[in-house]
Every structure is written in structure tokens, then in C-alpha cells.
Amino acid sequence: MESELYLHPSFTAEKSQAAKVVSTVQPYVYACVFSSLCIIVGVIWDISWHTSIGRDGLFAPPHMVIYVGAVVSGVFSGYQVLRTSFFSPAEEKSQAVKFWGIFHGSLGALFCIWGAIAMLTSAPFDDWWHNTYGLDVTILSPPHTLLALGAIMIQFGTLVAVASSTNHLNINDSAKIHHWLFAIAAGVLVAGFFTVLSDYLSKHQMHRALFYQISSVIFPLFLIMVTRASNMKWAATATAAVYMSILLLMLWILPIFHAYPRLGPVLNHIDHYQAFNFPLLLVFPALAIDWIFYKFPNKKGWVKAAYSAILFLAVFFVVQWYFGTFLLTSTVARNSFFGGSSWYFGSDPDYAFRYAFRPEQVDSGFSLIKGLLIAAVFAVISAFVGYKWGSWMKKVQR
């Protein structure tokens, strides 16, 4: 009976089609997703290293994790370009992007290659910068900016590579791995932008209108893009969950390990890694966005985008305003779960506003209302761009 089942033509065709679907995820796509995860893990580790230990060398452990991400994405994407250019049939070449006259490759692979070059170039530049000017006082120093641009190019290239792979599928029921790879790639990209702008998105900033304006520019763009581009149900929620999972795992794992300051002055004596920021509660506004797209499938795109933008800001403001108060001022948050007690070794542990909002960092009354109205405009524009971007991602084939 079992042998008859395997000989049945329909079963053989179905099995063949399933194999075809699985094979559409090329190795370089997996490699790029892995690289994106390495990069964000290394960057967050590097920030914790600076706040816990201080000076790091060119080959410090966090840097090595970042370099692994850059090298893996560059090597696998470069191999994909060389294979397509010189060892693939003409039909496959015609479906690729041609550049420099002789090379053919996918759009995602090209972004990853250029991103890898930028990141590896930033490494000696960063080492020279530290040797010349000392410890960074801000995240976005010139070498870190080059590093961030390279990392974002790799993460964007990964997103495009997964989207292209997904768009070649014929059977949506077999696309689960593609959907999750897309959500992971998008979640890493959100985590990357959050990390780059963390100076403006920390718990000390959560009662400022500027915090909500910056958030309204960034997050609707990515969450609505994912919802539009992916056939995955609750895609924005999955993306927000990936972002939060990455930040939470780094928040919980790093402080387990010992770390001692190597620079002076040491005002806050520590013996473990200081955690990075607790993630924003993006899963709640992401649920609202997914609900809008699920509830109104036949509404025009710009209508759904506008609804989603306003609902995003409303939910995000309510959730984050009160959660920000909890993170900063509550003694319940001063533990390893929320990371509320983490503090830079060079800062006074008795600083008056360590667990309180500075008066100039709190907007209220008309100033807050005006700021939120501006944030609403930003959110709507961001949502429209995200919807258009998602529509393009849905069609990308190269």
C-alpha cells in the first residue's frame, strides 16, 4: 500500500512541487539573515561593552561578532553574484541585475556586498578614531555612522533577498519559512534603527513629544511595509515580536557575565555588564496595525495606511507614556528583568535624575498636544511611504 502511494502520479507531482518550493530559499538568503542577527547582537554587545568596560580594541569580542556578520553576508552574496555571472544559464542571468558590464546578481546580494565593504572599512577607521580622540561620547560618531550605514544596507539587502525569494513561490501554503525569514529580517532592521536612535528613544525621553515624533517617522514605515508586503497573518506583530525578543535576550543575557571598567574616572563601581535599553512595546501598536488590515481588507490602501498611522500613535502613546514612567521611576523596574538599575560606570550613581524625568524632558499641556499632532502628521506620511514600499516589495523579483 505504501509503495502504491509513492507511485501515484498526483502524489509524485505534489512532492516534486513541494521540493521546488523549499529549494527557492538560496543559501545566501539564510546566510544574510544570519549575518543580520550577528550584526545587531554585536552592536548591542558593543554598546554594553562601552558602558561597562569602556575602551575596546579592534578585535574586541563584540567587534568580532559584527565582523563575522559582515564577512558572511559579503562572501555568500559575492559567491551568488559570481555563480550567476559565470556559471548560470542565460535565462537566470536575464532575471538578475546587471552591473559593471559583466556581473549579474540579485538586488539583495548587491546591497549586502556594498554593506559588507562599508562595515569592514569602518573597523580600522573606528580604531584610528579611538586612538586619536578617545572614547566616543555619542553613538553616531563618524566611524559608527559608516558602520551603521553598512549594517542597514546588509539588513535591507536581506529583506529584499527574502522578498524576492518569496515572490517566486507558487504555493502560499508552503511559504511559512519565507514568511518567518521576512519577519526576522524586518525585526532586525527595526532593532537596528532603534539602536542607532537610542539616544532619543531611551526611557528618559518617553515624556517628550520628540520621542513620539521620531517613533512616528520610523516604526509605522516598517510595520506597515511588512503588513503590506507579507502574506503572513499578523506580520507586523511578528516583526515587533522579533525586535522585542532580540532586545530582551540581550538585556537578560549580557548582565550574567562579569565586566569591569578599564577607564577612569569610575564613579559607578560595577562588576557585571550593564544592560542596553528595554525594548519599546511595539507589539501593541503592531497588533493594532494588523487588525486594521485584517478588519478592512477591501479598503483602499491609503485609507488603511491613514487609519493604521493614527491608531499606531494612539496606542503607542498610551502604552509607552505609562510604561516609561514605570521603567524610570518604579523600584519594581530596578532588577535584571527590566534592567532599570543599569548605569554607565562613568556616571554618578547618586545622580538626582537617575530615576526621575528632568523637568526639561517632560512636555505637557499645549506643548504636548502640539507635539503629538506633529507626530500624527509624521505617522501618516510614514505609513503612506511604508505602504508604497510594501507594494514594491511584493513585486520585487530580482
Side-chain angles (χ1 to χ4, degrees):
M1 186 69 181
E2 183 176 323
S3 60
E4 292 177 3
L5 177 64
Y6 276 90
L7 290 173
H8 195 281
S10 63
F11 181 86
T12 304
E14 183 180 343
K15 184 179 178 183
S16 175
Q17 183 66 280
K20 179 182 178 182
V21 169
V22 172
S23 67
T24 57
V25 183
Q26 298 185 43
Y28 93 95
V29 176
Y30 286 114
C32 290
V33 173
F34 170 78
S35 297
S36 294
L37 288 168
C38 284
I39 290 167
I40 193 61
V41 167
V43 168
I44 294 175
W45 186 4
D46 191 47
I47 293 173
S48 289
W49 181 290
H50 279 287
T51 57
S52 310
I53 299 174
R55 179 69 171 93
D56 53 2
L58 182 62
F59 299 106
H63 290 178
M64 295 306 296
V65 176
I66 296 172
Y67 302 156
V68 165
V71 169
V72 168
S73 66
V75 168
F76 274 81
S77 297
Y79 171 78
Q80 192 269 348
V81 169
L82 293 175
R83 184 188 63 80
T84 304
S85 301
F86 303 110
F87 303 102
S88 295
E91 181 181 356
E92 185 174 344
K93 287 184 181 180
S94 66
Q95 297 175 355
V97 177
K98 185 177 181 180
F99 65 104
W100 290 354
I102 58 173
F103 293 108
H104 297 77
S106 70
L107 185 61
L110 297 182
F111 274 111
C112 288
I113 291 170
W114 288 114
I117 292 173
M119 287 186 65
L120 294 176
T121 302
S122 74
F125 182 26
D126 185 53
D127 190 59
W128 170 85
W129 183 272
H130 283 303
N131 290 329
T132 305
Y133 299 106
L135 191 65
D136 294 317
V137 296
T138 180
I139 290 179
L140 288 178
S141 64
H144 287 179
T145 300
L146 179 60
L147 175 70
L149 290 174
I152 289 171
M153 287 181 70
I154 288 177
Q155 291 165 349
F156 178 74
T158 302
L159 204 63
V160 172
V162 177
S164 175
S165 179
T166 305
N167 293 338
H168 283 93
L169 293 179
N170 296 317
I171 304 176
N172 290 331
D173 293 338
S174 302
K176 185 176 293 186
I177 183 63
H178 295 77
H179 293 158
W180 275 109
L181 287 173
F182 193 77
I184 292 170
V188 171
L189 192 55
V190 171
F193 271 88
F194 169 77
T195 303
V196 168
L197 296 171
S198 58
D199 285 343
Y200 305 97
L201 299 176
S202 70
K203 58 188 177 184
H204 287 83
Q205 309 294 325
M206 291 180 186
H207 283 189
R208 298 184 66 190
L210 180 63
F211 172 87
Y212 297 96
Q213 291 167 0
I214 293 175
S215 298
S216 295
V217 170
I218 301 170
F219 302 123
L221 173 72
F222 292 109
L223 296 178
I224 291 175
M225 179 277 293
V226 171
T227 301
R228 171 59 178 158
S230 177
N231 291 325
M232 181 183 190
K233 192 175 183 181
W234 309 109
T237 305
T239 297
V242 169
Y243 150 78
M244 292 186 65
S245 298
I246 293 170
L247 269 293
L248 286 173
L249 287 173
M250 296 301 293
L251 178 81
W252 295 334
I253 293 174
L254 282 177
I256 296 174
F257 298 96
H258 289 285
Y260 302 93
R262 296 178 182 173
L263 285 176
V266 179
L267 302 179
N268 180 36
H269 294 275
I270 59 172
D271 56 9
H272 287 78
Y273 273 104
Q274 300 301 286
F276 188 51
N277 297 355
F278 195 92
L280 304 178
L281 302 182
L282 285 182
V283 70
F284 295 104
L287 277 167
I289 290 174
D290 281 330
W291 179 81
I292 288 289
F293 276 77
Y294 174 77
K295 187 70 174 178
F296 306 103
N298 297 322
K299 289 283 187 182
K300 291 185 177 180
W302 66 269
V303 175
K304 289 188 287 189
Y307 285 172
S308 299
I310 300 303
L311 194 55
F312 166 87
L313 180 58
V315 174
F316 184 70
F317 171 74
V318 172
V319 170
Q320 211 61 55
W321 181 279
Y322 291 104
F323 189 65
T325 302
F326 167 77
L327 279 180
L328 187 59
T329 65
S330 175
T331 56
V332 180
R334 298 171 198 174
N335 51 49
S336 58
F337 184 87
F338 293 105
S341 59
S342 291
W343 196 242
Y344 172 49
F345 69 82
S347 296
D348 184 359
D350 298 320
Y351 175 59
F353 295 101
R354 179 177 178 178
Y355 298 117
F357 291 99
R358 294 177 61 91
E360 63 269 23
Q361 293 177 328
V362 178
D363 289 323
S364 59
F366 177 74
S367 176
L368 178 61
I369 294 173
K370 178 183 175 182
L372 290 177
L373 289 175
I374 295 173
V377 174
F378 289 163
V380 170
I381 295 173
S382 177
F384 287 163
V385 175
Y387 190 86
K388 290 293 186 181
W389 181 17
S391 298
W392 175 80
M393 294 288 281
K394 218 172 173 61
K395 296 182 291 186
V396 66
Q397 296 285 332
R398 298 186 175 191

